[in-house]
Amino acid sequence: MAEDRKRLIEVDFPLREVSIDSVHEKMCHSGHPKSFHLWPARRPLAACRAALIAALLPDPGNDEERKAIYKRLAGELTKVESKGVVKTETKGGILRWKRATENAEDLEWFREEICKVYEGRAPEVLDPFAGGGAIPLEAMRMGCKATAVDISPVAFFTLKCTLEYPQQFSGQTRPLPEFVLKNRDFMEEYYKKACGLKGKQLLSALEKLGLSKREEGASLWKDTEVTSRIEADLAWHVRAWGMWVREQARTKLAPFYPVIDNKPAVAYLWARTVECKNCRATIPLLKTLWLCRKANKRVLLTMQPNEMKTGAVFSIDDKVPVAGGNASQKSKLDERLGAATMTASGVKCVCCPAITTREDLRYLGKEGKIGYVNYAVVVNSNGYKQYRIPVAEESCVVSPQDLSNAFNEIPFGIPTEPVPKGGSRSGGGSPFTIHSYGLEKWSDLFLSRQLLTFGTLLSSIRAISSTHPSESEWDEAIKAYLFCALDKLIDFCSTLVAWQPPGETGGNTFTRWALQMKYDFVESAALNDGSASWKGMVEWITRPLLGHLKDSLTRSSKPNIILGSALKHQSKADLILTDPPYYDEIPYSDCTDFFYVWLRRALFDNKEFQQAFSDPLQPKWDQENFDGELIDDPSRFNGDKRISTATYEKGLDISFRNCHKSLANDGRLIIVFASKEHKAWESLVSATIRAGFTTLASWPIQTEMMNRTRAMNSAALSSSIWLVCRKRDPEAKAGWDTAVLEEMRENITDKLRRFWDDGIRGPDFVWSATGPALEAYSKHPVVKKTDKAGELMSVGEFLIHVRRIVVDFIVGNVLGSQQGTEVLDEATTYYLLHRYDFGTDAAPAGAVILYATACGLTDGDLTGRYDILASGKTSSKTAVEDENGDEPEADGSSGSKSEFKLQPWNRRKGKNLGMDTKNGRPIPLIDQLHKLMHLWKAADVGRVNNYIDERRIQRNELFKKVQQALIELSTGSERAMLESISNHLKSRGDSATTLFDK
């Protein structure tokens, strides 16, 4: 760049448009690059694309040009009505899913502008925590040279499939293998989708291959000689070989998947079993008896003791009527009908009244005394799912010899590597509960038949090279994508996948990034047709190659993909955009070891990956070299939480110092952060300042759907805060706290109004002010205290001031006035803040602590001294399971953070509520209001009026504002009472007695 000018992202940003398109993208799956391989916490391509462009292009210096650029980038907002609901959407631009292709001229315009700014060269973009590759992918799309660094071998493999192979083979074709030219179904699909043929043209093309007629009962591969040469791109080659692999495996596995009555199985439903400690009967561990529960289809499993009372006999009722009047009654009756053996206290026996506790279940699991029973089979009957009880032919057992044969030629054999136990997270337990049940090896997470299937598929994929001698790189890419399909299939086919009656389908192992016990589970028939089948997975992972990535990387430079650590890597960069790990939020390597152990076997013969996958598990932590995965996990430090946290924070420091060394003097650093934990923010900000950066701006881009599993039960934000930084002037001098705080107030005032008007709320809103506020603080290497010689203002102290200003802004809006909030007491301020953002629902601990700190309080103050909050662990949908069917953890936390709820006014019954105390501490307004509500409920006019007079409530305008705010925030009887008290205050002395009588 010829001169260092302010960038677009430092001055303005199309926040609402980017947020809308980012959230929309989360709902787009088919054809998205994320289809290649599962990876935690991917950022939307829309947000990455917008941030990259806005960080690379200079600000034009005037509103008119800036608006024109952003309209071209993000389009404009428009109102759209769908099913009677009006919502805001975007129109135009290149951010929304698929619009980069539809509006290719605009995308090209941005590429050219970026090239001009950097005087004809491609700017270099670095992501030192690249993960799934969203950031480097968008950098490549915009014509940049992308460097993607990650310490995880699984991420390294994913980056190769997401970035390198699509770029390397973009626009290239090879002759389709001869065997597939004999398959009518495949070639018909190819001609239709790849060539656009239909009607007579389609029939003519098929005739040339000798495939004019579809014969009933014909073999998959028509036995004809083929002389045609048909070229196709990489995606169709992957599909062709995927079909070949399926048929190879089907031939070998047919005896283990018998077809009964010409109805192939879609899935097998299983329950774990234990022996009753009282009567010794075999008990199935079932959380529900519902097999299908739809409006027009209701199927129920029924269960009763067998004649000998040694276990259960199952049958199926496929015509369950709807009972009950209203929706609530129907739901309760259905819940009663579906009640199975699992209860809040444990599992009830089907043959006697005994209860086997959860503690007993864990003991039996560790002793190897938990078994399985196949209680139902889901079959395909002309495209319609039916349910039946398993028959004798399906009881075929996979022997140890069968497994040994399947894995005989696979490197390392059956995956018996240990499952990491994981460290307890702040406020919760380990995200892995399976160890409590004796599941300690990765192979323990699968049935023998599932292992047999995976081993057979893996062997068939590995055999492709010897079967199809051709170009090695092309072949390796084909196999890599088939390994992606295998990993995706394995995710859908473990014993931690629950059957979902409302959708008649199974889920996947990682509905969230945890491994938690499932008492009952589904085994998909992987080689038949179905959503969780090999065929489906191959089609799924090739869609991005056929669509989104088909031509978008044709003109891009080859990416530089590095298997390494951000603690060690340094390279030249004009822009660094990265999403670092947040303390213990996600155990990346522990979770993705699930895939690693399979990829280790798959890629052993590939020299490029051999070294990366040589160890039994992925890198954790190497203390001697101070290198490894950057995560706060005490289990890697002999359970020492203090050392674990200190190591994480030191590692973060080193990572940002390396970023400073890598970044050009006129470059920019953008950090994506999405944690509600104030400690995490303080560490992040401190690390960037110590590394030599100053923060210029922050933008809260909404990137998460609020219906996701972790949305409310974790420290994750619904918005990701994108912090924009640059190198601090090396000549910068120390600042003084008074001047810094004054500048901070001026910087954030307009920004707060902008963020509020854009609909940002909750903890997202608090953290959105961080960037504008930090500019005043971080431009100094240190900030000194004016009134305390030799002392420095820490980042934590500075952020407390920032949060208080933000909180006052929010409360001012709640009260309908920005005046007077500075005299509102801390407890009432917190109460209004919590009530506005969370109502009477539970709030995650991270948000509560953040708000409490901003009000000068602690969560202990609020649960103890003020009795405003009630604490508790995250509750599940029922006492038996959480929303994913997960077994609650031993500590009851389900791997989630603690939650807090506001105490309802009628439960705040302390004798000193609203009364003067011995220490003379002022009485919070919320306490006075709740005291008045108790007196009002008692219908004692004299005491009500006396209290009003004693506290001078009649003349307290701030009290009236608080009362009015709560009227607007409350409903039902609480609102009616508050309105009655308000009317009483207004008409005091006229009709108080009759008001009570009402």
Side-chain angles (χ1 to χ4, degrees):
M1 188 177 288
E3 56 178 308
D4 186 11
R5 294 161 55 188
K6 273 193 171 184
R7 310 298 167 86
L8 274 167
I9 200 169
E10 297 167 33
V11 180
D12 198 8
F13 194 71
L15 195 56
R16 290 191 69 192
E17 292 89 338
V18 176
S19 293
I20 288 170
D21 286 347
S22 294
V23 172
H24 173 265
E25 188 183 319
K26 286 283 184 175
M27 297 180 286
C28 300
H29 301 290
S30 180
H32 195 285
K34 65 186 176 185
S35 302
F36 288 136
H37 203 283
L38 200 62
W39 186 260
R42 289 178 186 265
R43 295 296 159 214
L45 301 181
C48 298
R49 191 177 310 151
L52 278 159
I53 292 173
L56 290 169
L57 292 181
D59 181 70
N62 65 80
D63 287 343
E64 187 176 344
E65 287 186 63
R66 189 182 305 117
K67 287 178 180 177
I69 293 172
Y70 275 146
K71 183 178 180 180
R72 197 164 200 163
L73 173 69
E76 54 190 349
L77 298 174
T78 182
K79 297 292 184 182
V80 177
E81 183 175 350
S82 176
K83 298 180 180 179
V85 178
V86 177
K87 59 181 180 178
T88 303
E89 294 290 2
T90 61
K91 180 182 179 181
I94 61 169
L95 299 183
R96 198 173 184 87
W97 176 238
K98 294 186 178 180
R99 280 195 195 147
T101 304
E102 295 168 0
N103 300 328
E105 328 77 47
D106 289 328
L107 183 72
E108 183 60 28
W109 184 86
F110 280 110
R111 287 175 63 112
E112 291 173 358
E113 288 300 305
I114 290 170
C115 188
K116 287 178 190 175
V117 168
Y118 286 87
E119 301 176 326
R121 71 176 179 86
E124 303 198 38
V125 177
L126 166 66
D127 183 358
F129 298 100
I135 292 168
L137 173 61
E138 289 306 316
M140 291 172 65
R141 191 196 306 275
M142 300 317 303
C144 304
K145 290 183 179 179
T147 297
V149 181
D150 205 286
I151 195 171
S152 164
V154 175
F156 179 64
F157 171 76
T158 303
L159 291 166
K160 288 280 186 179
C161 295
T162 306
L163 309 178
E164 186 172 307
Y165 298 147
Q167 185 274 335
Q168 182 179 356
F169 298 112
S170 179
Q172 297 186 29
T173 61
R174 303 285 191 280
L176 281 171
E178 185 176 322
F179 64 80
V180 85
L181 302 182
K182 303 175 185 179
N183 181 274
R184 181 188 169 95
D185 288 340
F186 183 92
M187 293 310 302
E188 184 173 343
E189 183 182 20
Y190 170 77
Y191 280 136
K192 285 180 178 178
K193 295 182 178 179
C195 306
L197 301 185
K198 57 184 178 180
K200 291 183 179 179
Q201 286 182 318
L202 175 62
L203 290 175
S204 176
L206 291 171
E207 283 176 3
K208 290 179 182 178
L209 296 174
L211 302 173
S212 56
K213 296 180 180 179
R214 180 178 280 108
E215 300 171 6
E216 290 294 329
S219 65
L220 180 64
W221 318 110
K222 191 174 178 67
D223 189 18
T224 57
E225 185 177 347
V226 178
T227 57
S228 301
R229 176 186 171 95
I230 299 176
E231 298 271 337
D233 61 21
L234 182 61
W236 286 101
H237 279 262
V238 174
R239 288 191 173 189
W241 284 102
M243 182 180 291
W244 180 87
V245 166
R246 182 194 191 200
E247 293 312 308
Q248 294 294 308
R250 264 184 164 178
T251 301
K252 297 175 183 176
L253 296 174
F256 299 95
Y257 291 96
V259 177
I260 309 299
D261 297 331
N262 293 318
K263 295 179 181 179
V266 174
Y268 304 87
L269 306 184
W270 294 80
R272 300 183 199 271
T273 61
V274 294
E275 186 181 83
C276 174
K277 59 185 178 182
N278 179 49
C279 70
R280 304 305 177 194
T282 299
I283 317 171
L285 309 185
L286 283 163
K287 64 181 182 291
T288 181
L289 295 176
W290 283 107
L291 301 178
C292 174
R293 189 169 58 163
K294 296 180 177 179
N296 59 349
K297 183 180 179 183
R298 294 161 58 82
V299 184
L300 192 73
L301 180 75
T302 61
M303 181 173 55
Q304 61 185 15
N306 61 24
E307 288 186 13
M308 303 295 293
K309 290 201 172 183
T310 57
V313 175
F314 301 105
S315 58
I316 291 173
D317 181 357
D318 58 4
K319 295 180 181 178
V320 182
V322 177
N326 56 39
S328 177
Q329 290 174 338
K330 291 176 182 176
S331 178
K332 287 180 180 178
L333 286 170
D334 278 357
E335 188 176 335
R336 218 171 290 156
L337 276 174
T341 57
M342 297 305 303
T343 68
S345 54
V347 56
K348 59 184 180 182
C349 182
V350 293
C351 300
C352 78
I355 295 288
T356 302
T357 66
R358 293 181 185 276
E359 187 177 349
D360 292 333
L361 292 179
R362 295 185 184 103
Y363 171 79
L364 291 169
K366 289 179 178 179
E367 292 293 308
K369 295 180 179 179
I370 291 183
Y372 309 101
V373 62
N374 177 204
Y375 62 86
V377 180
V378 189
V379 298
N380 183 350
S381 178
N382 298 320
Y384 183 82
K385 286 178 182 172
Q386 291 182 342
Y387 299 82
R388 61 170 174 77
I389 299 302
V391 296
E393 295 95 310
E394 292 169 304
S395 62
C396 50
V397 177
V398 177
S399 70
Q401 187 59 50
D402 293 327
L403 278 179
S404 177
N405 292 340
F407 284 86
N408 187 44
E409 296 183 3
I410 295 176
F412 311 113
I414 297 170
T416 56
E417 293 91 337
V419 177
K421 292 187 176 181
S424 290
R425 296 173 292 172
S426 53
S430 167
F432 293 3
T433 61
I434 57 175
H435 294 88
S436 300
Y437 296 85
L439 305 181
E440 298 185 344
K441 304 189 298 290
W442 287 110
S443 57
D444 293 340
L445 305 190
F446 307 97
L447 295 170
S448 295
R449 183 163 57 182
Q450 290 175 319
L451 289 171
L452 181 69
T453 301
F454 303 151
T456 305
L457 287 168
L458 187 51
S459 294
S460 299
I461 300 170
R462 283 168 50 80
I464 285 176
S465 295
S466 59
T467 306
H468 180 238
S470 183
E471 301 172 67
S472 60
E473 290 186 349
W474 182 267
D475 283 352
E476 292 301 338
I478 291 172
K479 290 199 292 183
Y481 286 116
L482 291 177
F483 291 142
C484 285
L486 181 61
D487 262 4
K488 188 169 286 289
L489 181 69
I490 292 169
D491 177 39
F492 279 80
C493 295
S494 78
T495 60
L496 303 183
V497 175
W499 180 250
Q500 299 170 356
E504 285 192 285
T505 185
N508 63 314
T509 302
F510 290 106
T511 51
R512 56 175 160 168
W513 289 102
L515 289 173
Q516 294 186 288
M517 187 67 165
K518 297 290 193 301
Y519 295 124
D520 51 11
F521 57 91
V522 55
E523 176 199 8
S524 294
L527 298 179
N528 292 333
D529 294 338
S531 56
S533 68
W534 171 253
K535 180 182 178 182
M537 298 307 162
V538 171
E539 182 179 342
W540 191 258
I541 62 100
T542 52
R543 284 177 185 171
L545 294 174
L546 289 170
H548 190 66
L549 294 180
K550 185 173 183 179
D551 301 312
S552 58
L553 301 182
T554 303
R555 294 165 50 209
S556 303
S557 302
K558 182 178 179 179
N560 184 21
I561 301 172
I562 298 171
L563 177 64
S565 163
L567 281 72
K568 302 295 182 182
H569 180 79
Q570 295 176 25
S571 62
K572 182 182 176 183
D574 297 293
L575 173 65
I576 300 175
L577 202 168
T578 194
D579 181 9
Y582 323 137
Y583 279 86
D584 58 359
E585 284 295 307
I586 298 174
Y588 288 88
S589 73
D590 286 355
C591 285
T592 55
D593 276 343
F594 177 91
F595 303 110
Y596 175 89
V597 294
W598 293 100
L599 289 174
R600 184 178 182 229
R601 288 152 175 79
L603 299 167
F604 179 78
D605 295 332
N606 187 317
K607 292 180 181 178
E608 189 172 19
F609 294 108
Q610 199 170 67
Q611 183 59 40
F613 288 86
S614 59
D615 292 331
L617 297 174
Q618 294 183 98
K620 307 304 178 189
W621 185 254
D622 179 355
Q623 185 62 35
E624 184 177 346
N625 295 308
F626 202 84
D627 194 19
E629 183 188 30
L630 200 55
I631 183 175
D632 183 6
D633 184 348
S635 70
R636 300 178 188 180
F637 300 91
N638 297 317
D640 193 316
K641 175 65 176 172
R642 182 184 59 81
I643 294 177
S644 176
T645 301
T647 301
Y648 167 82
E649 292 171 354
K650 183 180 177 181
L652 200 64
D653 263 16
I654 294 172
S655 299
F656 288 131
R657 290 181 193 276
N658 285 337
C659 287
H660 192 274
K661 293 173 183 176
S662 298
L663 192 64
N665 289 332
D666 62 348
R668 297 295 186 270
L669 166 68
I670 299 181
I671 305 167
V672 186
F673 212 63
S675 176
K676 288 174 182 155
E677 299 289 352
H678 67 281
K679 181 183 178 183
W681 275 93
E682 289 176 17
S683 295
L684 173 77
V685 171
S686 298
T688 59
I689 293 173
R690 285 193 295 268
F693 290 104
T694 181
T695 302
L696 305 172
S698 68
W699 301 101
I701 303 174
Q702 188 174 351
T703 56
E704 309 298 338
M705 298 181 294
M706 287 310 293
N707 64 344
R708 68 198 176 106
T709 303
R710 299 177 62 244
M712 288 300 296
N713 295 336
S714 76
L717 291 168
S718 61
S719 293
S720 300
I721 311 300
W722 298 56
L723 284 174
V724 184
C725 308
R726 64 159 300 156
K727 287 185 174 181
R728 187 170 54 244
D729 183 351
E731 303 297 322
K733 297 181 180 179
W736 293 96
D737 59 351
T738 50
V740 166
L741 291 173
E742 182 58 34
E743 184 181 348
M744 176 266 289
R745 292 187 188 95
E746 294 175 3
N747 287 352
I748 69 172
T749 302
D750 291 339
K751 292 290 186 183
L752 290 178
R753 174 50 57 190
R754 160 76 186 278
F755 295 150
W756 187 267
D757 291 343
D758 280 340
I760 308 299
R761 295 293 186 271
D764 294 336
F765 185 77
V766 177
W767 289 120
S768 67
T770 302
L774 277 170
E775 183 177 5
Y777 182 93
S778 62
K779 70 181 184 182
H780 304 284
V782 293
V783 176
K784 299 178 180 180
K785 291 184 177 180
T786 307
D787 57 349
K788 293 182 180 179
E791 287 194 26
L792 301 178
M793 173 186 271
S794 69
V795 170
E797 290 173 315
F798 175 76
L799 289 177
I800 287 174
H801 287 280
V802 176
R803 293 172 200 142
R804 184 66 211 197
I805 291 172
V806 178
V807 163
D808 286 345
F809 178 92
I810 299 172
V811 173
N813 277 279
V814 174
L815 295 178
S817 170
Q818 288 297 324
Q819 306 298 322
T821 59
E822 66 278 0
V823 297
L824 188 63
D825 64 87
E826 293 89 345
T828 306
T829 299
Y830 177 85
Y831 188 94
L832 288 174
L833 200 60
H834 189 124
R835 189 71 183 263
Y836 180 78
D837 280 336
F838 300 104
T840 56
D841 295 333
V848 169
I849 294 169
L850 173 64
Y851 285 170
T853 305
C855 297
L857 301 169
T858 67
D859 54 321
D861 292 332
L862 295 166
T863 55
R865 183 169 52 150
Y866 291 107
D867 190 32
I868 284 176
L869 290 179
S871 64
K873 297 291 186 182
T874 300
S875 60
S876 51
K877 275 194 171 182
T878 70
V880 179
E881 56 175 313
D882 74 1
E883 57 198 306
N884 294 300
D886 294 338
E887 189 273 333
E889 294 188 10
D891 63 358
S893 68
S894 291
S896 301
K897 308 293 181 184
S898 296
E899 290 183 336
F900 294 85
K901 275 189 174 185
L902 286 177
Q903 290 275 33
W905 70 270
N906 53 10
R907 290 188 185 175
R908 301 188 69 212
K909 297 180 179 180
K911 62 180 181 180
N912 293 323
L913 178 69
M915 306 300 289
D916 288 320
T917 57
K918 293 180 181 179
N919 59 19
R921 188 173 60 231
I923 305 170
L925 288 182
I926 190 62
D927 286 7
Q928 296 180 44
L929 181 56
H930 284 169
K931 178 68 174 181
L932 200 54
M933 292 172 75
H934 280 288
L935 296 174
W936 186 266
K937 185 180 180 182
D940 190 329
V941 171
R943 292 184 67 191
V944 168
N945 289 335
N946 287 340
Y947 189 77
I948 291 171
D949 293 337
E950 288 172 8
R951 305 309 319 163
R952 296 183 174 84
I953 289 173
Q954 193 80 39
R955 297 190 296 275
N956 190 332
E957 293 302 316
L958 193 53
F959 177 93
K960 294 175 183 177
K961 286 183 179 181
V962 170
Q963 183 184 37
Q964 183 58 38
L966 287 179
I967 288 173
E968 294 173 7
L969 292 172
S970 60
T971 58
S973 60
E974 181 186 14
R975 178 167 186 154
M977 181 179 291
L978 287 167
E979 287 176 339
S980 296
I981 294 172
S982 177
N983 291 335
H984 178 66
L985 287 171
K986 290 175 184 176
S987 59
R988 179 92 183 280
D990 297 330
S991 56
T993 303
T994 54
L995 281 171
F996 272 114
D997 293 337
K998 294 179 182 179

